[in-house]
Amino acid sequence: MPDSFKENNMRKVAIILSVIGTFLLLMHSFLLQGQQTHGDENWLISIESQHRIARPNTIISIHPPYESKNIRLVGRNLNHPGFRVISPQASHLSNKRAIRLRADKAGKFHSTVEFTLQQSQLPRFHKTNSKPMTAERRQLFLQDNEWLQLDDSSLMTVLNEVGVDKVDHDGLAERIFQKVYRLSGRAAKSLRTAPAILASRSASRYERAQLMVALSRKAGIPARIITGLEMKDDPSASFQYWVELYINDRWLSYHPALGYSQQLPVNYVALDKYDEGMISARVNGAMTDKKEYTQSSDISIERIPASIISPDNLRSEWYQVLMLDRLPSDTRAQLGLLMLLPLGALLSSFIRQFMGLHSYGVFTPTILALAVTYTEQETTMLILAITLTLVYFGRPAFHHEMSRTPRLSIIFTLVATSMVIGVSVLDYFSLATDGHLILLPIVIITSLVDRFFAAVEKFGSHTAFIRLVWTLILTLITLPVLQQDWLGALLLRYPEAHLFTLSLLIMVATVPFGKYKVPQWLGFLTEPEKKSNKKDKEENDD
């Protein structure tokens, strides 16, 4: 069959894919608009912080707001001069993944973080921050502290007054709530213990929440204080304090200062549920004290235009499987990065096809760029150093007659061992305190070094080194593509857009290989010409 006939058919397929992609994009946009619920609002919570750090390598954790059935986190923005962003880490108490910043030296620093929240009047979202109630966690919400003083007899006296032995936990919680709600108001001054609050018969907003927790825990009901905000048009945002009680396998919310029982208005967002604070600091895994770290923060909240249109988040609708932006914020960030990989492969294929280049695979540069994106700067340099070292010194260690399977296993062992030793070196010189690595770089380096050795045996050292250089160059070219978070979020919202990517890849395939040659000033990176049959050509294109 003539090549021109095949190329015409390929072009027709590319056009059909583009038409289908356009149709699906229009339908998807219409469906999203149709699912937008009236009354949904977007809010921006801004936290500006001043940090005083006394010890190098201090890690600052900034915890995002809690999601709920009515509120979800849809975006975040961070400004952190002097800090370096390191891998996020989930709290041991909740599933929230905190933003983590590392200060390599002591001094004064400034950070600004903005969280964009979508608030729905209907319970359309799925809570992602909760962990199941175990016996250990139950004990956590029943324990005593210096401010509750559960052994004080005045607490039991109040519980007897409200009939602790006559009603179930539902009724007892309501009676405790009414008892605390009727206390006289008091301006917030110094913090007092629960018995002292009872003795004065007055309480501030925080003290009401504290007293209700004390009485509930004394009665055997798991309880915790919640620090949060009311999302409303008020430039001077002030913290709200309420209580959550664990009754009948679920958390119920009570606001003893404002009179809300069992459920709060949908515009209340929780910031802290475990007395962690929104901002905390650690050095070598241990919490810092006031001599090592202090911070002051200003928080503000404002309504923003409803430019983010989110689909109905009810799992009962089958099409929700295709609505990827219903997923939690952290999951969307990771999947958005994966959605950028085809664009990296498209760019790599375009350059290879038009310039007639050979690298170690079409996808290797993109996957290598992904590994670099996931790691810190020190780890990136470690990856490059291990690759070049094994490439330069490794070839004499492998006999030409060695089969590929044992050779690949040997390379994998060397790469894994080198990574471990390298991380230890970085930690010793305080270049990387957490030694965080993923397996992806190890797999990529192993494959890359193995393919280099295979190219040496088949085409010679000169050609093998040229292909390695082009692989690294293509990695640097595709790296900026994987750093476009906004584009990944857009592709995650409209995944059918990758039909256009497929269409472009097909069109690239119709272009003659090497239509535009490498510029003369890059002639030293041109492979020596070598006659080859069709099978060799396919191996060259590897």
Side-chain angles (χ1 to χ4, degrees):
M1 186 178 294
D3 291 340
S4 59
F5 181 78
K6 293 181 180 179
E7 292 178 359
N8 288 333
N9 285 341
M10 292 173 66
R11 292 190 180 97
K12 291 179 181 178
V13 171
I15 294 174
I16 292 174
L17 289 176
S18 298
V19 172
I20 295 176
T22 302
F23 174 77
L24 292 179
L25 278 174
L26 293 175
M27 290 297 296
H28 194 169
S29 300
F30 176 78
L31 182 63
L32 289 179
Q33 292 176 359
Q35 291 178 348
Q36 175 70 15
T37 302
H38 292 292
D40 280 9
E41 298 175 347
N42 289 340
W43 296 88
L44 184 69
I45 296 179
S46 302
I47 304 173
E48 295 188 11
S49 304
Q50 305 291 334
H51 311 267
R52 187 191 63 81
I53 297 174
R55 295 181 59 183
N57 296 322
T58 296
I59 296 179
I60 309 299
S61 297
I62 303 176
H63 303 274
Y66 282 84
E67 296 181 317
S68 67
K69 292 182 179 180
N70 295 88
I71 296 174
R72 71 166 182 168
L73 181 65
V74 296
R76 63 182 70 184
N77 186 35
L78 181 64
N79 182 26
H80 51 91
F83 286 109
R84 283 196 298 161
V85 178
I86 60 177
S87 304
Q89 189 176 61
S91 168
H92 68 289
L93 295 173
S94 69
N95 292 326
K96 289 199 307 178
R97 296 177 66 84
I99 298 172
R100 296 204 303 163
L101 307 174
R102 185 169 69 206
D104 294 329
K105 59 183 180 180
K108 295 182 179 180
F109 300 87
H110 170 80
S111 69
T112 302
V113 60
E114 297 177 339
F115 297 106
T116 304
L117 302 177
Q118 180 186 2
Q119 173 203 321
S120 172
Q121 297 299 322
L122 301 177
R124 302 191 293 128
F125 309 134
H126 299 284
K127 298 173 67 174
T128 59
N129 306 135
S130 299
K131 285 189 174 183
M133 179 65 77
T134 61
E136 180 181 2
R137 288 173 62 80
R138 185 180 183 86
Q139 187 60 35
L140 173 67
F141 302 120
L142 290 173
Q143 68 183 8
D144 194 4
N145 61 45
E146 61 178 315
W147 300 107
L148 300 182
Q149 298 188 8
L150 301 185
D151 293 333
D152 192 280
S153 60
S154 62
L155 297 180
M156 196 65 214
T157 299
V158 172
L159 290 178
N160 289 329
E161 291 176 359
V162 298
V164 63
D165 297 327
K166 299 179 181 179
V167 293
D168 57 12
H169 279 180
D170 272 327
L172 181 59
E174 185 62 28
R175 293 187 181 188
I176 292 175
F177 166 75
Q178 292 295 337
K179 183 72 175 181
V180 177
Y181 177 63
R182 293 191 185 101
L183 293 177
S184 302
R186 173 181 180 268
K189 298 178 181 178
S190 59
L191 188 62
R192 300 179 298 172
T193 63
I197 298 171
L198 281 175
S200 69
R201 299 181 179 273
S202 63
S204 65
R205 290 193 173 190
Y206 182 84
E207 288 176 337
R208 291 175 191 271
Q210 176 188 340
L211 178 59
M212 186 169 181
V213 166
L215 292 170
S216 300
R217 290 187 180 184
K218 183 67 175 180
I221 303 175
R224 61 190 181 189
I225 296 178
I226 309 299
T227 302
L229 290 172
E230 180 183 7
M231 295 191 294
K232 61 180 182 179
D233 291 318
D234 185 358
S236 58
S238 59
F239 289 117
Q240 296 285 339
Y241 304 101
W242 63 91
V243 175
E244 285 188 351
L245 304 184
Y246 194 76
I247 301 174
N248 296 331
D249 297 328
R250 60 175 181 152
W251 289 101
L252 299 178
S253 298
Y254 296 83
H255 200 315
L258 299 182
Y260 298 120
S261 175
Q262 297 194 5
Q263 186 173 354
L264 267 61
V266 297
N267 64 327
Y268 278 70
V269 57
L271 303 179
D272 183 13
K273 294 186 177 184
Y274 301 94
D275 200 23
E276 294 178 296
M278 287 200 70
I279 301 177
S280 59
R282 292 177 180 268
V283 178
N284 297 326
M287 291 294 294
T288 57
D289 56 31
K290 292 184 178 180
K291 294 181 180 179
E292 297 173 326
Y293 172 75
T294 57
Q295 64 91 15
S296 60
S297 300
D298 293 324
I299 188 167
S300 62
I301 184 169
E302 62 177 313
R303 190 196 307 266
I304 58 177
S307 58
I308 301 175
I309 302 175
S310 299
D312 190 344
N313 209 27
L314 298 175
R315 292 185 184 273
S316 58
E317 302 292 345
W318 64 269
Y319 54 77
Q320 292 301 316
V321 176
L322 304 177
M323 302 299 181
L324 302 181
D325 61 350
R326 66 182 170 82
L327 298 171
S329 174
D330 294 320
T331 303
R332 294 199 309 273
Q334 297 175 17
L335 295 182
L337 182 59
L338 294 181
M339 293 296 284
L340 292 172
L341 293 182
L343 297 184
L346 172 62
L347 181 59
S348 179
S349 299
F350 177 84
I351 296 175
R352 279 169 49 103
Q353 190 74 12
F354 274 72
M355 298 183 65
L357 303 178
H358 297 288
S359 62
Y360 293 119
V362 178
F363 306 111
T364 301
T366 305
I367 301 300
L368 189 57
L370 175 65
V372 172
T373 302
Y374 265 119
T375 57
E376 300 177 22
Q377 181 179 357
E378 293 85 357
T379 307
T380 301
M381 299 306 297
L382 178 63
I383 293 172
L384 182 60
I386 291 176
T387 303
L388 296 179
T389 300
L390 291 178
V391 163
Y392 187 79
F393 296 104
R395 183 171 177 259
F398 300 100
H399 194 271
H400 289 283
E401 302 300 327
M402 182 181 291
S403 61
R404 186 172 186 270
T405 300
R407 181 179 67 190
L408 190 59
S409 299
I410 292 174
I411 296 173
F412 185 83
T413 302
L414 291 175
V415 170
T417 306
S418 300
M419 281 289 210
V420 172
I421 296 175
V423 170
S424 178
V425 172
L426 293 177
D427 180 76
Y428 180 81
F429 290 102
S430 299
L431 296 176
T433 57
D434 55 359
H436 176 75
L437 280 177
I438 56 176
L439 293 178
L440 185 59
I442 298 178
V443 177
I444 294 301
I445 293 176
T446 301
S447 175
L448 185 60
V449 174
D450 175 69
R451 298 178 82 168
F452 174 82
F453 290 147
V456 169
E457 295 173 3
K458 187 171 184 63
F459 305 109
S461 299
H462 181 63
T463 298
F465 272 105
I466 288 177
R467 293 189 178 186
L468 177 62
V469 171
W470 279 119
T471 300
L472 297 178
I473 291 176
L474 290 175
T475 298
L476 294 176
I477 293 175
T478 56
L479 182 60
V481 176
L482 302 187
Q483 295 175 338
Q484 306 303 314
D485 296 338
W486 65 271
L487 184 56
L490 184 63
L491 290 172
L492 190 65
R493 188 171 185 76
Y494 299 102
E496 60 272 17
H498 271 315
L499 288 174
F500 295 101
T501 305
L502 294 175
S503 176
L504 291 173
L505 285 169
I506 293 175
M507 295 299 293
V508 168
T510 63
V511 178
F513 186 76
K515 182 177 181 180
Y516 301 99
K517 299 298 181 182
V518 176
Q520 293 184 355
W521 59 276
L522 287 178
F524 65 96
L525 292 179
T526 303
E527 294 183 16
E529 295 185 4
K530 180 179 179 181
K531 294 182 179 180
S532 61
N533 54 33
K534 182 177 180 180
K535 180 178 179 180
D536 290 336
K537 183 180 184 301
E538 291 176 351
E539 293 177 351
N540 275 336
D541 290 341
D542 189 23

